Amino acid sequence: MSSPNVLLIITQDTKEQEARYIRDILEGAGCNVIHLDPSVRRTVGGAEISPEDVAAAAGYTIEDVRALGHEGKCQAVMTEGSVKCALKAHAEQGLAGVLSVGGSMGTGLAGTVMQALPYGLPKLIVSTMASGFTQPYLGVKDIAIMNAVTDISGINSISSEVFRNAALAVAGMAKGYTPTTASEKPLVLITTLGTTEKSVRPIREALEADGCEVMVFHSSGAGGPTLDGIAAERDVALVLDLSLTEILDHIHGGLANSGPDRGKAAIARGIPVVFAPGNSDFIIAGPVDAAQVQFPGKKYHMHNPALTAVRTDLDDLKPLADHLAKMFADAKGPVSFYVPLKGFSNHDSPYGHIHDPSVPPPFAEYARSVMPDNVEFRAIDAHFNDDEFADAVIAKARELLAR
């Protein structure tokens, strides 16, 4: 059995000692190391992909890059070149794992490289940026990040253990890595939260029984963008966007705000979509005292000490309908919008803490009035978590899949 190829991303102009230490561990664990060195200050040598190679892939010489005299501009060039070099290495040699070590600049470069590589390929970043806001580094890919603990400046009793553990972890994953072949089953993507799982589970199970591959995403800020990323890249047969918290939170400043493009990928590609206002009965806010300041005069449900569900009213939901209508108008494929008239989540039910049965019917009426002609609109006299609503979505899904 051949040794697995591991791409090591680390700059030798500032981290030569650390690069050699990690390389020795990877090779000792039976891996073939392909060192991508995106250094700018100087070329040390020994890397399979040199700084000169990285710069050339971006259309520069390394001297040109150094002459830019601006770390941000240098970073942009070397990031572009690193992505191209990594993709070339994967295409020609077949990577089984990727490991990077760096500070903010190295983490940003490595994160961009890893986001360009396929799901399933093991990816680990050891970083001084591992605490706090890491979303820009990880994007929507399956990237693990490990706290470097100390600065990446030499080998000491802590950093040696961190680097060794990271290298051995990637080596272990690389040895067990087998690329997944694309499924021939129709791929269906669904959004949900725990508060709508009662309905989404039978939808998923019915479509799986029909022979579909179904991926479900938690719409709490990262799940929806991940769904959108897959919809943009893969051969997706159907999207059931049944939990709109991330869109609603974008409109109102909630914690699950996923930006203005959430939900647009499938529409732009002409993938059939069914939307429903699951979990639109609440905005996701922080601790209850902060939620009361940000959203005064509302009903609140403390989901846990860190998260509060803030009850929406009709005035909160009209902008959601307007946003969706504008988005749907650009659809290149079939679009349906299904609205349950008796509640949007478990919170919005007789068993919930922020139930308001007066909101869904006028929301449905307003939404119907603003939807463009290309949208199939349907109001269903049931709660989102009722069997009747799940059955309606299943029937529509089967109709669209049979096209």
Side-chain angles (χ1 to χ4, degrees), residues 306-362:
L307 297 175
T308 302
V310 179
R311 174 70 224 196
T312 54
D313 57 27
L314 183 58
D315 288 339
D316 298 319
L317 291 175
K318 283 183 176 179
L320 174 64
D322 294 336
H323 179 94
L324 294 174
K326 183 178 179 180
M327 187 167 72
F328 295 162
D330 297 327
K332 296 181 179 178
V335 181
S336 300
F337 189 42
Y338 281 20
V339 179
L341 296 176
K342 294 184 177 179
F344 298 155
S345 81
N346 187 59
H347 290 327
D348 187 23
S349 74
Y351 311 102
H353 299 276
I354 51 175
H355 183 40
D356 188 346
S358 71
V359 173

Side-chain angles (χ1 to χ4, degrees), residues 236-240 266-267 269-275 332-336 400-401 403:
V236 175
L238 176 66
V239 170
L240 303 178
I267 287 173
R269 289 193 65 196
I271 298 169
V273 296
V274 179
F275 278 71
K332 296 181 179 178
V335 181
S336 300
L400 291 169
L401 290 166
R403 286 166 56 93

Side-chain angles (χ1 to χ4, degrees), residues 237-260:
L238 176 66
V239 170
L240 303 178
D241 223 334
L242 306 181
S243 180
L244 304 186
T245 45
E246 294 159 326
I247 296 175
L248 187 68
D249 279 16
H250 168 66
I251 294 169
H252 295 293
L255 291 183
N257 176 5
S258 295

Side-chain angles (χ1 to χ4, degrees), residues 18 27 57-58 109 113 117 155 161-162 168 208 248 291 306 400:
E18 296 87 342
E27 290 178 340
L109 182 147
V113 171
L117 291 166
I155 304 297
E161 293 180 343
V162 171
L168 292 175
E208 288 176 337
L248 187 68
L400 291 169

Side-chain angles (χ1 to χ4, degrees), residues 122-305:
K123 313 169 191 72
L124 175 62
I125 299 173
V126 179
S127 174
T128 55
M129 307 299 292
S131 60
F133 186 52
T134 59
Q135 194 277 335
Y137 307 126
L138 308 184
V140 297
K141 284 296 179 72
D142 52 341
I143 300 170
I145 189 165
M146 178 184 288
N147 186 12
V149 184
T150 67
D151 195 9
I152 302 168
S153 181
I155 304 297
N156 56 59
S157 59
I158 291 179
S159 66
S160 62
E161 293 180 343
V162 171
F163 298 154
R164 182 178 67 248
N165 290 342
L168 292 175
V170 171
M173 290 187 286
K175 289 178 180 178
Y177 173 66
T178 302
T180 302
T181 56
S183 173
E184 295 183 0
K185 297 180 179 180
L187 177 58
V188 179
L189 311 180
I190 306 179
T191 52
T192 189
L193 288 176
T195 43
T196 48
E197 177 64 14
K198 186 175 184 294
S199 184
V200 170
R201 180 185 293 272
I203 294 171
R204 173 179 59 81
E205 291 175 345
L207 296 177
E208 288 176 337
D210 288 347
C212 296
E213 178 183 7
V214 182
M215 298 181 183
V216 181
F217 301 87
H218 203 67
S219 63
S220 56
T226 304
L227 179 152
D228 290 339
I230 293 172
E233 293 179 5
R234 293 198 178 187
D235 184 13
V236 175
L238 176 66
V239 170
L240 303 178
D241 223 334
L242 306 181
S243 180
L244 304 186
T245 45
E246 294 159 326
I247 296 175
L248 187 68
D249 279 16
H250 168 66
I251 294 169
H252 295 293
L255 291 183
N257 176 5
S258 295
D261 295 328
R262 170 69 187 91
K264 294 182 178 179
I267 287 173
R269 289 193 65 196
I271 298 169
V273 296
V274 179
F275 278 71
N279 300 303
S280 295
D281 50 300
F282 59 89
I283 299 164
I284 300 177
V288 66
D289 54 346
Q292 290 169 341
V293 172
Q294 185 179 4
F295 304 102
K298 300 286 191 180
K299 294 180 181 178
Y300 312 93
H301 170 59
M302 188 178 75
H303 182 61
N304 59 45

